């Protein structure tokens, strides 16, 4: 279960909110009644990071044998599509 607190309340009681996270509790921060962020125990963040890494590794593995595109072909396609869209620039153009 998580506790909702306003950002103002969290700022005023930051040490307490951090202590709760350290103790395993989640605190959801709200702004104008809308949930905008959460202060979570570091183990939760670590688990999310590990899960994201695992998901990315699985996705990469799924595409291991897909055909690849060389850098020259990629750049040519990008410049070609930019020219078609009216946004193509050449090396001499000002940014």
């Amino acid at each position: 279960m998580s506790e909702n607190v306003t950002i103002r309340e969290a700022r005023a009681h930051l040490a307490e909110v951090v202590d709760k996270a350290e103790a395993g509790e989640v605190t959801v921060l709200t702004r104008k009644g809308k949930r905008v962020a959460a202060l979570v125990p570091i183990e939760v963040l670590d688990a999310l990071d590990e899960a994201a890494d695992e998901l990315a590794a699985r996705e990469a593995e799924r595409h291991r044998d897909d055909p690849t595109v060389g850098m020259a072909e990629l750049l040519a396609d990008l410049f070609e599509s930019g020219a078609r869209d009216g946004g193509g620039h050449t090396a001499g153009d000002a940014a």
Side-chain angles (χ1 to χ4, degrees), residues 12 19 27 50 85 87:
D19 288 345
T27 301
E50 287 177 26
D85 298 339

Side-chain angles (χ1 to χ4, degrees), residues 1 7 17 21 30 36 39 41 46 54 61 66 68 71 78 93:
M1 189 96 184
I7 293 172
V17 175
T30 62
V36 295
L39 189 64
D46 290 345
E54 178 64 26
E61 186 61 34
D66 289 359
T68 59
M71 182 60 79
L78 287 172
D93 289 345

